[in-house]
Amino acid sequence: MLQVMRNGENRIDVEFAGKLDSNDMRVALDELSQQSEGIEHGRVLYRVGDFELPTLGAIAVELSRIPQLFRFVRRFDRMAVVAGKEWVRKASEVEGALIPGLQIKAFDLGQEAEAEAWLQR
């Protein structure tokens, strides 16, 4: 399950749980691109539920859309990731360290208020 919602002028909220296959990945990337259209210096709140690694087909779709992903990421300055699994939080922060101009901070499930406050800074 993936849900992308515009939340104001410069923010989108993403809720994700389960496993993505290639079709799910196409839909997810299209939705992220569409919902983020026109955003500059934006913020993203990711809520990650029971997450499983995507299929190889989904990874292939993601890799084939690297230019689209870069356009998406450049629209944002901050991403907060709220997740119950430690490895998801760690992977998110590593990703943030690798992407210039984007700050990613991870929070545990009980820290959504802290994530919201961090996004507002």
Side-chain angles (χ1 to χ4, degrees):
M1 186 252 347
L2 179 94
Q3 188 173 14
V4 181
M5 299 154 289
R6 188 81 176 240
N7 185 350
E9 277 290 307
N10 72 336
R11 179 170 151 180
I12 61 173
D13 291 357
V14 180
E15 291 188 32
F16 175 74
K19 186 172 193 163
L20 291 177
D21 62 18
S22 58
N23 187 55
D24 296 332
M25 183 64 80
R26 277 187 208 89
V27 170
L29 295 176
D30 289 345
E31 189 69 16
L32 285 169
S33 180
Q34 180 185 19
Q35 291 294 329
S36 66
E37 197 65 41
I39 291 179
E40 294 180 19
H41 304 289
R43 308 286 198 250
V44 180
L45 175 63
Y46 277 96
R47 292 179 189 97
V48 182
D50 189 23
F51 174 73
E52 298 177 38
L53 291 176
T55 66
L56 289 177
I59 293 170
V61 168
E62 186 175 25
L63 292 174
S64 73
R65 294 203 181 175
I66 291 287
Q68 178 185 358
L69 287 170
F70 282 135
R71 282 191 300 274
F72 168 77
V73 168
R74 281 188 292 222
R75 295 175 180 157
F76 298 93
D77 295 335
R78 286 180 175 230
M79 292 185 184
V81 177
V82 178
K85 293 184 178 181
E86 175 78 21
W87 73 267
V88 173
R89 293 191 303 269
K90 291 286 186 200
S92 299
E93 290 188 342
V94 167
E95 184 178 6
L98 298 174
I99 301 173
L102 178 64
Q103 293 180 311
I104 299 178
K105 187 167 180 171
F107 299 86
D108 202 349
L109 289 178
Q111 297 180 308
E112 190 163 332
E114 290 90 339
E116 291 276 358
W118 182 79
L119 282 175
Q120 298 305 315
R121 290 186 199 163

